[in-house]
Each structure stands twice: as C-alpha cells, then as structure tokens.
C-alpha cells in the first residue's frame, strides 16, 4: 500500500518563528489532507490539497503531486499552534481509505 | 452543521464487558470511516462504509470487533468482549465523496479497558 513519511518527527519553536513541515508519499494520490491534532486530541482539518497551493491565514500548503510531496508552512507561530500535524492521503486507483503519516509534533514555546 | 458527532467522549469499562461506540455523520455525507489511534500504531482504519454498506473491514483487529450502519445517519462500533489492549481513541469520520473531497473527523471516544 501507499507509504506516507513526515518530517521532522519533532519540532520546537519560539513564538513568532516560521516553520515548514514535509510529507512524502510513495504513489499517486487522489486526496491529500493536512490535519492538526490539538492537545485535547481533536483532529482538525487544515487543508484538502491533492495538488496546488492554498493559504488560510498564517498557514499555507503546497502539494507537488508529480514529485510526490507536500509542504505545510506555519508563519509567525503561536503557542496555540502546538500539537501534532498529520498528513494523510488516499491512493489513486486504490482503496478509499485515508492513510496517515506518523505526524510531526510541534511545540511552540512562549 | 454540527459536524461528526461521537458518543460517549470517554468510556471506562472492565475487561470482558461489551462496549458500544456511536457515530452520527454529517448530513449528506455518504461515506463513513472508523479509525483507531494508539501510541504504538498511530491512526489506523478499522472499517469504512459507502452508502451504508461495509466496503473494507480488513482493519478490524479480530472477531470481537463489529460495526454496523443501519441508516445514513448512524453507525456503531461494538467490542465484545473488551480487553485492555483495546484501550485507544476511536475516531469516526465522514465524507461526501471519498476521492474528491476531504474527510471530517469527530472528536473521538477515549476508551479505557481495565
């Protein structure tokens, strides 16, 4: 099945810093989503982005489908950005199930 | 819309007891997914339904687990009998069209089996 690798596994930032999270996937995808799991465990959908670029406030994401990777940018980070960021994909022509990476744990210190 | 609604939020039960988790998908969504999250295995799909029909249950760990979707607005995941290794957070998600739109997750049920 499709493999999803995220890097880095852990990231510690000072408030106000910028960061880039990466997601590599091993096959063509129909669906790619970025989620934020907050300290209370909720999975919040950030972006649905199988290709192209999207922006939402301080967050933006770019997926280069032909090269099989996606990037999540967080600018001017805040303590509320802390949590785990997951990339998840569905394989093109394969099962409909969303396959998750292991996540990037982000800690933003005041 | 209220989003995907799961109940209960927390469940503590004794080994051997039956546990039933419930999910109400977003109205109009025709696909429903049950996921389990553990520290060791991360987020893994247990089963998913399309138009109330189970499509892929290959992730269901064993016969102690069963899932139903009697109608478009309700699904259950049952564990009978429960074991300590079933302790995890169980998420339900729904989608309009699984390969074109994104998935929306519920808040999860944290299950502890003692």
């Amino acid at each position: 099945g499709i493999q999803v690798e995220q890097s880095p596994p852990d990231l510690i930032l000072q408030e106000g810093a910028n960061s880039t999270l990466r997601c590599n996937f091993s096959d063509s995808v129909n669906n790619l989503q970025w989620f934020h799991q907050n300290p209370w465990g909720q999975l919040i959908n950030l972006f649905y982005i199988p290709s192209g670029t999207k922006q939402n406030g301080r967050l933006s994401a770019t997926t280069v489908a032909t090269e099989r990777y996606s990037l999540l940018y967080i600018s001017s980070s805040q303590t509320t950005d802390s949590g785990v960021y997951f990339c998840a994909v569905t394989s093109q022509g394969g099962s409909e199930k969303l396959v998750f990476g292991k996540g990037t744990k982000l800690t933003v210190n005041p | 819309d209220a989003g995907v609604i799961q109940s209960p939020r927390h469940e503590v039960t004794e080994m051997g007891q039956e546990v039933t988790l419930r999910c109400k998908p977003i109205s109009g969504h025709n696909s429903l997914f049950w996921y389990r999250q553990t520290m060791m295995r991360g987020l893994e799909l247990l089963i998913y339904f399309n138009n109330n029909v189970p499509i892929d249950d290959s992730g269901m760990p064993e016969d102690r687990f069963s899932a139903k979707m009697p109608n478009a607005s309700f699904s259950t995941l049952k564990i009978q009998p429960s074991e300590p290794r079933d302790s995890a957070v169980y998420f339900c998600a729904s989608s309009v069209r699984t390969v074109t739109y994104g998935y929306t997750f519920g808040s999860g049920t944290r299950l502890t089996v003692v």
Side-chain angles (χ1 to χ4, degrees):
Chain A
I2 192 167
Q3 304 295 313
V4 181
E5 294 185 0
Q6 293 186 242
S7 60
D10 295 278
L11 188 58
I12 300 175
L13 301 174
Q14 286 299 122
E15 204 167 21
N18 302 328
S19 61
T20 301
L21 283 57
R22 187 177 179 100
C23 171
N24 293 330
F25 42 95
S26 60
D27 202 353
S28 299
V29 299
N30 277 326
N31 177 8
L32 188 147
Q33 287 183 254
W34 283 97
F35 292 92
H36 175 218
Q37 188 165 39
N38 63 26
W40 296 270
Q42 290 180 299
L43 275 167
I44 308 301
N45 182 20
L46 298 175
F47 294 103
Y48 168 77
I49 187 167
S51 64
T53 297
K54 290 185 178 179
Q55 181 157 7
N56 184 3
R58 296 182 296 102
L59 303 182
S60 63
T62 295
T63 297
V64 183
T66 53
E67 297 186 22
R68 299 181 183 172
Y69 72 89
S70 183
L71 302 173
L72 177 69
Y73 305 96
I74 305 174
S75 64
S76 303
S77 57
Q78 301 175 358
T79 57
T80 52
D81 295 330
S82 296
V84 182
Y85 290 80
F86 289 102
C87 171
V89 304
T90 58
S91 176
Q92 204 172 71
S95 168
E96 297 177 41
K97 70 181 184 182
L98 199 60
V99 177
F100 281 79
K102 294 186 184 303
T104 293
K105 183 178 180 182
L106 174 65
T107 303
V108 181
N109 292 320
Chain B
D1 198 315
V4 177
I5 300 172
Q6 292 187 245
S7 64
R9 290 296 307 276
H10 303 274
E11 176 80 32
V12 180
T13 190
E14 292 186 346
M15 182 174 62
Q17 296 298 305
E18 177 179 296
V19 176
T20 299
L21 311 181
R22 297 171 175 80
C23 176
K24 176 179 169 56
I26 291 174
S27 178
H29 283 195
N30 64 350
S31 294
L32 183 141
F33 305 79
W34 283 100
Y35 279 81
R36 179 172 67 175
Q37 186 178 30
T38 61
M39 289 293 292
M40 291 296 294
R41 300 174 67 90
L43 278 153
E44 53 181 348
L45 179 71
L46 300 178
I47 185 171
Y48 77 88
F49 297 83
N50 202 350
N51 294 320
N52 312 339
V53 176
I55 303 299
D56 183 352
D57 65 354
S58 59
M60 296 285 263
E62 49 198 272
D63 292 345
R64 298 185 296 105
F65 285 68
S66 62
K68 294 182 179 180
M69 191 165 187
N71 56 61
S73 59
F74 184 66
S75 178
T76 59
L77 177 68
K78 185 177 293 186
I79 308 172
Q80 166 64 18
S82 57
E83 296 182 2
R85 60 193 168 119
D86 301 330
S87 298
V89 180
Y90 291 81
F91 287 99
C92 176
S94 71
S95 174
V96 174
R97 290 172 60 188
T98 57
V99 294
T100 308
Y101 297 91
Y103 296 37
T104 302
F105 279 75
S107 297
T109 295
R110 181 175 295 277
L111 173 65
T112 303
V113 183
V114 298

PDB file of all heavy atoms in Angstrom, chain B residues 50-81:
ATOM      1  N   ASN B  50     -19.769   2.765   2.547  1.00  0.00           N
ATOM      2  CA  ASN B  50     -20.184   3.647   1.470  1.00  0.00           C
ATOM      3  C   ASN B  50     -21.667   3.391   1.244  1.00  0.00           C
ATOM      4  O   ASN B  50     -22.063   2.242   0.972  1.00  0.00           O
ATOM      5  CB  ASN B  50     -19.390   3.355   0.195  1.00  0.00           C
ATOM      6  CG  ASN B  50     -19.380   4.539  -0.751  1.00  0.00           C
ATOM      7  OD1 ASN B  50     -20.104   5.505  -0.562  1.00  0.00           O
ATOM      8  ND2 ASN B  50     -18.544   4.470  -1.758  1.00  0.00           N
ATOM      9  N   ASN B  51     -22.484   4.459   1.372  1.00  0.00           N
ATOM     10  CA  ASN B  51     -23.943   4.301   1.262  1.00  0.00           C
ATOM     11  C   ASN B  51     -24.444   3.192   2.189  1.00  0.00           C
ATOM     12  O   ASN B  51     -25.255   2.338   1.782  1.00  0.00           O
ATOM     13  CB  ASN B  51     -24.349   4.042  -0.187  1.00  0.00           C
ATOM     14  CG  ASN B  51     -24.069   5.237  -1.084  1.00  0.00           C
ATOM     15  OD1 ASN B  51     -24.276   6.386  -0.696  1.00  0.00           O
ATOM     16  ND2 ASN B  51     -23.582   4.965  -2.288  1.00  0.00           N
ATOM     17  N   ASN B  52     -23.961   3.179   3.393  1.00  0.00           N
ATOM     18  CA  ASN B  52     -24.370   2.280   4.479  1.00  0.00           C
ATOM     19  C   ASN B  52     -23.861   0.844   4.310  1.00  0.00           C
ATOM     20  O   ASN B  52     -24.156  -0.007   5.149  1.00  0.00           O
ATOM     21  CB  ASN B  52     -25.895   2.251   4.656  1.00  0.00           C
ATOM     22  CG  ASN B  52     -26.505   3.628   4.706  1.00  0.00           C
ATOM     23  OD1 ASN B  52     -25.833   4.595   4.992  1.00  0.00           O
ATOM     24  ND2 ASN B  52     -27.792   3.708   4.416  1.00  0.00           N
ATOM     25  N   VAL B  53     -23.119   0.564   3.276  1.00  0.00           N
ATOM     26  CA  VAL B  53     -22.633  -0.792   3.015  1.00  0.00           C
ATOM     27  C   VAL B  53     -21.162  -0.890   3.403  1.00  0.00           C
ATOM     28  O   VAL B  53     -20.366  -0.041   2.976  1.00  0.00           O
ATOM     29  CB  VAL B  53     -22.806  -1.155   1.527  1.00  0.00           C
ATOM     30  CG1 VAL B  53     -22.209  -2.532   1.241  1.00  0.00           C
ATOM     31  CG2 VAL B  53     -24.273  -1.100   1.126  1.00  0.00           C
ATOM     32  N   PRO B  54     -20.788  -1.901   4.204  1.00  0.00           N
ATOM     33  CA  PRO B  54     -19.361  -2.038   4.543  1.00  0.00           C
ATOM     34  C   PRO B  54     -18.540  -2.392   3.304  1.00  0.00           C
ATOM     35  O   PRO B  54     -18.878  -3.330   2.588  1.00  0.00           O
ATOM     36  CB  PRO B  54     -19.354  -3.158   5.586  1.00  0.00           C
ATOM     37  CG  PRO B  54     -20.622  -3.919   5.359  1.00  0.00           C
ATOM     38  CD  PRO B  54     -21.618  -2.942   4.832  1.00  0.00           C
ATOM     39  N   ILE B  55     -17.491  -1.626   3.061  1.00  0.00           N
ATOM     40  CA  ILE B  55     -16.669  -1.802   1.858  1.00  0.00           C
ATOM     41  C   ILE B  55     -15.359  -2.507   2.183  1.00  0.00           C
ATOM     42  O   ILE B  55     -14.921  -3.390   1.461  1.00  0.00           O
ATOM     43  CB  ILE B  55     -16.383  -0.450   1.173  1.00  0.00           C
ATOM     44  CG1 ILE B  55     -17.681   0.273   0.822  1.00  0.00           C
ATOM     45  CG2 ILE B  55     -15.506  -0.652  -0.059  1.00  0.00           C
ATOM     46  CD1 ILE B  55     -18.582  -0.487  -0.141  1.00  0.00           C
ATOM     47  N   ASP B  56     -14.723  -2.082   3.254  1.00  0.00           N
ATOM     48  CA  ASP B  56     -13.417  -2.643   3.607  1.00  0.00           C
ATOM     49  C   ASP B  56     -13.339  -2.761   5.115  1.00  0.00           C
ATOM     50  O   ASP B  56     -13.313  -1.752   5.809  1.00  0.00           O
ATOM     51  CB  ASP B  56     -12.300  -1.748   3.074  1.00  0.00           C
ATOM     52  CG  ASP B  56     -10.903  -2.307   3.339  1.00  0.00           C
ATOM     53  OD1 ASP B  56     -10.782  -3.318   4.068  1.00  0.00           O
ATOM     54  OD2 ASP B  56      -9.931  -1.730   2.813  1.00  0.00           O
ATOM     55  N   ASP B  57     -13.339  -3.987   5.614  1.00  0.00           N
ATOM     56  CA  ASP B  57     -13.223  -4.203   7.058  1.00  0.00           C
ATOM     57  C   ASP B  57     -11.909  -4.911   7.393  1.00  0.00           C
ATOM     58  O   ASP B  57     -11.779  -5.533   8.448  1.00  0.00           O
ATOM     59  CB  ASP B  57     -14.413  -4.977   7.609  1.00  0.00           C
ATOM     60  CG  ASP B  57     -14.477  -6.402   7.048  1.00  0.00           C
ATOM     61  OD1 ASP B  57     -13.664  -6.734   6.158  1.00  0.00           O
ATOM     62  OD2 ASP B  57     -15.340  -7.171   7.508  1.00  0.00           O
ATOM     63  N   SER B  58     -10.946  -4.818   6.498  1.00  0.00           N
ATOM     64  CA  SER B  58      -9.689  -5.542   6.697  1.00  0.00           C
ATOM     65  C   SER B  58      -8.896  -5.045   7.895  1.00  0.00           C
ATOM     66  O   SER B  58      -8.023  -5.729   8.401  1.00  0.00           O
ATOM     67  CB  SER B  58      -8.825  -5.438   5.440  1.00  0.00           C
ATOM     68  OG  SER B  58      -8.537  -4.098   5.129  1.00  0.00           O
ATOM     69  N   GLY B  59      -9.219  -3.858   8.375  1.00  0.00           N
ATOM     70  CA  GLY B  59      -8.516  -3.318   9.529  1.00  0.00           C
ATOM     71  C   GLY B  59      -9.113  -3.705  10.867  1.00  0.00           C
ATOM     72  O   GLY B  59      -8.527  -3.422  11.913  1.00  0.00           O
ATOM     73  N   MET B  60     -10.243  -4.360  10.842  1.00  0.00           N
ATOM     74  CA  MET B  60     -10.873  -4.790  12.098  1.00  0.00           C
ATOM     75  C   MET B  60      -9.976  -5.846  12.724  1.00  0.00           C
ATOM     76  O   MET B  60      -9.698  -6.884  12.093  1.00  0.00           O
ATOM     77  CB  MET B  60     -12.270  -5.351  11.828  1.00  0.00           C
ATOM     78  CG  MET B  60     -13.221  -4.321  11.284  1.00  0.00           C
ATOM     79  SD  MET B  60     -13.771  -3.174  12.551  1.00  0.00           S
ATOM     80  CE  MET B  60     -15.338  -3.917  12.984  1.00  0.00           C
ATOM     81  N   PRO B  61      -9.538  -5.623  13.955  1.00  0.00           N
ATOM     82  CA  PRO B  61      -8.496  -6.474  14.533  1.00  0.00           C
ATOM     83  C   PRO B  61      -8.893  -7.935  14.681  1.00  0.00           C
ATOM     84  O   PRO B  61      -8.079  -8.813  14.464  1.00  0.00           O
ATOM     85  CB  PRO B  61      -8.201  -5.831  15.887  1.00  0.00           C
ATOM     86  CG  PRO B  61      -9.095  -4.686  16.037  1.00  0.00           C
ATOM     87  CD  PRO B  61      -9.912  -4.511  14.827  1.00  0.00           C
ATOM     88  N   GLU B  62     -10.087  -8.211  15.071  1.00  0.00           N
ATOM     89  CA  GLU B  62     -10.496  -9.607  15.266  1.00  0.00           C
ATOM     90  C   GLU B  62     -12.006  -9.659  15.424  1.00  0.00           C
ATOM     91  O   GLU B  62     -12.691  -8.642  15.365  1.00  0.00           O
ATOM     92  CB  GLU B  62      -9.788 -10.185  16.491  1.00  0.00           C
ATOM     93  CG  GLU B  62      -9.867  -9.312  17.719  1.00  0.00           C
ATOM     94  CD  GLU B  62      -8.817  -9.702  18.749  1.00  0.00           C
ATOM     95  OE1 GLU B  62      -9.098 -10.586  19.573  1.00  0.00           O
ATOM     96  OE2 GLU B  62      -7.728  -9.115  18.734  1.00  0.00           O
ATOM     97  N   ASP B  63     -12.504 -10.879  15.617  1.00  0.00           N
ATOM     98  CA  ASP B  63     -13.954 -11.069  15.647  1.00  0.00           C
ATOM     99  C   ASP B  63     -14.633 -10.379  16.813  1.00  0.00           C
ATOM    100  O   ASP B  63     -15.854 -10.236  16.814  1.00  0.00           O
ATOM    101  CB  ASP B  63     -14.287 -12.569  15.702  1.00  0.00           C
ATOM    102  CG  ASP B  63     -13.918 -13.264  14.397  1.00  0.00           C
ATOM    103  OD1 ASP B  63     -13.683 -12.546  13.399  1.00  0.00           O
ATOM    104  OD2 ASP B  63     -13.857 -14.500  14.380  1.00  0.00           O
ATOM    105  N   ARG B  64     -13.878  -9.940  17.772  1.00  0.00           N
ATOM    106  CA  ARG B  64     -14.502  -9.243  18.910  1.00  0.00           C
ATOM    107  C   ARG B  64     -15.026  -7.878  18.499  1.00  0.00           C
ATOM    108  O   ARG B  64     -15.828  -7.277  19.191  1.00  0.00           O
ATOM    109  CB  ARG B  64     -13.484  -9.067  20.039  1.00  0.00           C
ATOM    110  CG  ARG B  64     -12.946 -10.357  20.611  1.00  0.00           C
ATOM    111  CD  ARG B  64     -12.020 -10.109  21.807  1.00  0.00           C
ATOM    112  NE  ARG B  64     -10.829  -9.365  21.426  1.00  0.00           N
ATOM    113  CZ  ARG B  64     -10.623  -8.080  21.695  1.00  0.00           C
ATOM    114  NH1 ARG B  64     -11.524  -7.386  22.352  1.00  0.00           N
ATOM    115  NH2 ARG B  64      -9.507  -7.482  21.311  1.00  0.00           N
ATOM    116  N   PHE B  65     -14.568  -7.395  17.345  1.00  0.00           N
ATOM    117  CA  PHE B  65     -14.974  -6.074  16.845  1.00  0.00           C
ATOM    118  C   PHE B  65     -16.038  -6.254  15.758  1.00  0.00           C
ATOM    119  O   PHE B  65     -15.896  -7.096  14.867  1.00  0.00           O
ATOM    120  CB  PHE B  65     -13.785  -5.328  16.240  1.00  0.00           C
ATOM    121  CG  PHE B  65     -12.824  -4.764  17.238  1.00  0.00           C
ATOM    122  CD1 PHE B  65     -12.042  -5.587  18.024  1.00  0.00           C
ATOM    123  CD2 PHE B  65     -12.701  -3.396  17.391  1.00  0.00           C
ATOM    124  CE1 PHE B  65     -11.145  -5.070  18.947  1.00  0.00           C
ATOM    125  CE2 PHE B  65     -11.801  -2.857  18.301  1.00  0.00           C
ATOM    126  CZ  PHE B  65     -11.025  -3.703  19.074  1.00  0.00           C
ATOM    127  N   SER B  66     -17.083  -5.441  15.836  1.00  0.00           N
ATOM    128  CA  SER B  66     -18.087  -5.435  14.774  1.00  0.00           C
ATOM    129  C   SER B  66     -18.595  -4.015  14.595  1.00  0.00           C
ATOM    130  O   SER B  66     -18.598  -3.219  15.527  1.00  0.00           O
ATOM    131  CB  SER B  66     -19.245  -6.381  15.111  1.00  0.00           C
ATOM    132  OG  SER B  66     -19.909  -5.965  16.284  1.00  0.00           O
ATOM    133  N   ALA B  67     -19.011  -3.693  13.380  1.00  0.00           N
ATOM    134  CA  ALA B  67     -19.528  -2.360  13.087  1.00  0.00           C
ATOM    135  C   ALA B  67     -20.762  -2.489  12.218  1.00  0.00           C
ATOM    136  O   ALA B  67     -20.859  -3.384  11.377  1.00  0.00           O
ATOM    137  CB  ALA B  67     -18.476  -1.504  12.384  1.00  0.00           C
ATOM    138  N   LYS B  68     -21.697  -1.564  12.465  1.00  0.00           N
ATOM    139  CA  LYS B  68     -22.929  -1.539  11.692  1.00  0.00           C
ATOM    140  C   LYS B  68     -23.253  -0.113  11.289  1.00  0.00           C
ATOM    141  O   LYS B  68     -22.856   0.841  11.945  1.00  0.00           O
ATOM    142  CB  LYS B  68     -24.088  -2.113  12.514  1.00  0.00           C
ATOM    143  CG  LYS B  68     -23.959  -3.586  12.837  1.00  0.00           C
ATOM    144  CD  LYS B  68     -25.172  -4.085  13.617  1.00  0.00           C
ATOM    145  CE  LYS B  68     -25.043  -5.563  13.926  1.00  0.00           C
ATOM    146  NZ  LYS B  68     -26.205  -6.083  14.691  1.00  0.00           N
ATOM    147  N   MET B  69     -24.008  -0.011  10.217  1.00  0.00           N
ATOM    148  CA  MET B  69     -24.531   1.294   9.794  1.00  0.00           C
ATOM    149  C   MET B  69     -25.953   1.052   9.292  1.00  0.00           C
ATOM    150  O   MET B  69     -26.180   0.845   8.098  1.00  0.00           O
ATOM    151  CB  MET B  69     -23.659   1.924   8.717  1.00  0.00           C
ATOM    152  CG  MET B  69     -24.010   3.374   8.458  1.00  0.00           C
ATOM    153  SD  MET B  69     -22.748   4.226   7.521  1.00  0.00           S
ATOM    154  CE  MET B  69     -23.398   5.891   7.598  1.00  0.00           C
ATOM    155  N   PRO B  70     -26.916   1.044  10.201  1.00  0.00           N
ATOM    156  CA  PRO B  70     -28.297   0.708   9.834  1.00  0.00           C
ATOM    157  C   PRO B  70     -28.965   1.745   8.947  1.00  0.00           C
ATOM    158  O   PRO B  70     -29.906   1.410   8.215  1.00  0.00           O
ATOM    159  CB  PRO B  70     -29.006   0.602  11.192  1.00  0.00           C
ATOM    160  CG  PRO B  70     -28.157   1.398  12.121  1.00  0.00           C
ATOM    161  CD  PRO B  70     -26.756   1.278  11.634  1.00  0.00           C
ATOM    162  N   ASN B  71     -28.482   2.999   9.010  1.00  0.00           N
ATOM    163  CA  ASN B  71     -29.013   4.040   8.139  1.00  0.00           C
ATOM    164  C   ASN B  71     -27.945   5.103   7.903  1.00  0.00           C
ATOM    165  O   ASN B  71     -26.854   5.033   8.493  1.00  0.00           O
ATOM    166  CB  ASN B  71     -30.297   4.656   8.727  1.00  0.00           C
ATOM    167  CG  ASN B  71     -30.078   5.201  10.115  1.00  0.00           C
ATOM    168  OD1 ASN B  71     -29.272   6.103  10.296  1.00  0.00           O
ATOM    169  ND2 ASN B  71     -30.791   4.652  11.095  1.00  0.00           N
ATOM    170  N   ALA B  72     -28.272   6.072   7.087  1.00  0.00           N
ATOM    171  CA  ALA B  72     -27.278   7.064   6.666  1.00  0.00           C
ATOM    172  C   ALA B  72     -26.852   8.001   7.778  1.00  0.00           C
ATOM    173  O   ALA B  72     -25.882   8.752   7.618  1.00  0.00           O
ATOM    174  CB  ALA B  72     -27.834   7.868   5.493  1.00  0.00           C
ATOM    175  N   SER B  73     -27.550   7.992   8.902  1.00  0.00           N
ATOM    176  CA  SER B  73     -27.251   8.971   9.942  1.00  0.00           C
ATOM    177  C   SER B  73     -26.728   8.341  11.230  1.00  0.00           C
ATOM    178  O   SER B  73     -26.629   9.015  12.248  1.00  0.00           O
ATOM    179  CB  SER B  73     -28.507   9.800  10.248  1.00  0.00           C
ATOM    180  OG  SER B  73     -29.551   8.969  10.673  1.00  0.00           O
ATOM    181  N   PHE B  74     -26.366   7.052  11.194  1.00  0.00           N
ATOM    182  CA  PHE B  74     -25.964   6.426  12.440  1.00  0.00           C
ATOM    183  C   PHE B  74     -25.087   5.206  12.186  1.00  0.00           C
ATOM    184  O   PHE B  74     -25.376   4.390  11.296  1.00  0.00           O
ATOM    185  CB  PHE B  74     -27.214   6.011  13.226  1.00  0.00           C
ATOM    186  CG  PHE B  74     -26.932   5.430  14.580  1.00  0.00           C
ATOM    187  CD1 PHE B  74     -26.376   6.199  15.583  1.00  0.00           C
ATOM    188  CD2 PHE B  74     -27.242   4.099  14.855  1.00  0.00           C
ATOM    189  CE1 PHE B  74     -26.120   5.675  16.833  1.00  0.00           C
ATOM    190  CE2 PHE B  74     -26.997   3.553  16.106  1.00  0.00           C
ATOM    191  CZ  PHE B  74     -26.438   4.342  17.097  1.00  0.00           C
ATOM    192  N   SER B  75     -24.026   5.085  12.995  1.00  0.00           N
ATOM    193  CA  SER B  75     -23.179   3.906  12.925  1.00  0.00           C
ATOM    194  C   SER B  75     -22.714   3.547  14.328  1.00  0.00           C
ATOM    195  O   SER B  75     -22.600   4.417  15.196  1.00  0.00           O
ATOM    196  CB  SER B  75     -21.959   4.166  12.038  1.00  0.00           C
ATOM    197  OG  SER B  75     -21.096   3.031  12.002  1.00  0.00           O
ATOM    198  N   THR B  76     -22.469   2.263  14.544  1.00  0.00           N
ATOM    199  CA  THR B  76     -21.939   1.799  15.821  1.00  0.00           C
ATOM    200  C   THR B  76     -20.715   0.927  15.600  1.00  0.00           C
ATOM    201  O   THR B  76     -20.596   0.227  14.588  1.00  0.00           O
ATOM    202  CB  THR B  76     -22.981   0.980  16.610  1.00  0.00           C
ATOM    203  OG1 THR B  76     -23.371  -0.157  15.824  1.00  0.00           O
ATOM    204  CG2 THR B  76     -24.197   1.813  16.963  1.00  0.00           C
ATOM    205  N   LEU B  77     -19.820   0.989  16.565  1.00  0.00           N
ATOM    206  CA  LEU B  77     -18.666   0.087  16.628  1.00  0.00           C
ATOM    207  C   LEU B  77     -18.750  -0.619  17.967  1.00  0.00           C
ATOM    208  O   LEU B  77     -18.789   0.035  19.010  1.00  0.00           O
ATOM    209  CB  LEU B  77     -17.357   0.874  16.506  1.00  0.00           C
ATOM    210  CG  LEU B  77     -16.066   0.062  16.618  1.00  0.00           C
ATOM    211  CD1 LEU B  77     -15.900  -0.870  15.421  1.00  0.00           C
ATOM    212  CD2 LEU B  77     -14.848   0.996  16.710  1.00  0.00           C
ATOM    213  N   LYS B  78     -18.805  -1.938  17.921  1.00  0.00           N
ATOM    214  CA  LYS B  78     -19.000  -2.705  19.135  1.00  0.00           C
ATOM    215  C   LYS B  78     -17.790  -3.589  19.388  1.00  0.00           C
ATOM    216  O   LYS B  78     -17.228  -4.185  18.450  1.00  0.00           O
ATOM    217  CB  LYS B  78     -20.267  -3.552  19.030  1.00  0.00           C
ATOM    218  CG  LYS B  78     -20.642  -4.308  20.273  1.00  0.00           C
ATOM    219  CD  LYS B  78     -21.956  -5.057  20.084  1.00  0.00           C
ATOM    220  CE  LYS B  78     -23.122  -4.124  19.929  1.00  0.00           C
ATOM    221  NZ  LYS B  78     -24.425  -4.846  19.880  1.00  0.00           N
ATOM    222  N   ILE B  79     -17.400  -3.688  20.651  1.00  0.00           N
ATOM    223  CA  ILE B  79     -16.315  -4.584  21.065  1.00  0.00           C
ATOM    224  C   ILE B  79     -16.882  -5.504  22.139  1.00  0.00           C
ATOM    225  O   ILE B  79     -17.387  -5.037  23.157  1.00  0.00           O
ATOM    226  CB  ILE B  79     -15.106  -3.800  21.640  1.00  0.00           C
ATOM    227  CG1 ILE B  79     -14.654  -2.696  20.675  1.00  0.00           C
ATOM    228  CG2 ILE B  79     -13.952  -4.767  21.905  1.00  0.00           C
ATOM    229  CD1 ILE B  79     -13.592  -1.771  21.255  1.00  0.00           C
ATOM    230  N   GLN B  80     -16.833  -6.797  21.865  1.00  0.00           N
ATOM    231  CA  GLN B  80     -17.388  -7.766  22.788  1.00  0.00           C
ATOM    232  C   GLN B  80     -16.644  -9.084  22.676  1.00  0.00           C
ATOM    233  O   GLN B  80     -16.698  -9.721  21.616  1.00  0.00           O
ATOM    234  CB  GLN B  80     -18.890  -7.975  22.509  1.00  0.00           C
ATOM    235  CG  GLN B  80     -19.529  -9.179  23.155  1.00  0.00           C
ATOM    236  CD  GLN B  80     -19.529  -9.139  24.677  1.00  0.00           C
ATOM    237  OE1 GLN B  80     -19.351  -8.093  25.271  1.00  0.00           O
ATOM    238  NE2 GLN B  80     -19.720 -10.291  25.284  1.00  0.00           N
ATOM    239  N   PRO B  81     -15.966  -9.555  23.737  1.00  0.00           N
ATOM    240  CA  PRO B  81     -15.687  -8.852  24.984  1.00  0.00           C
ATOM    241  C   PRO B  81     -14.492  -7.914  24.844  1.00  0.00           C
ATOM    242  O   PRO B  81     -13.601  -8.152  24.030  1.00  0.00           O
ATOM    243  CB  PRO B  81     -15.349 -10.015  25.915  1.00  0.00           C
ATOM    244  CG  PRO B  81     -14.677 -11.020  25.015  1.00  0.00           C
ATOM    245  CD  PRO B  81     -15.405 -10.905  23.686  1.00  0.00           C
TER     246      PRO B  81
END
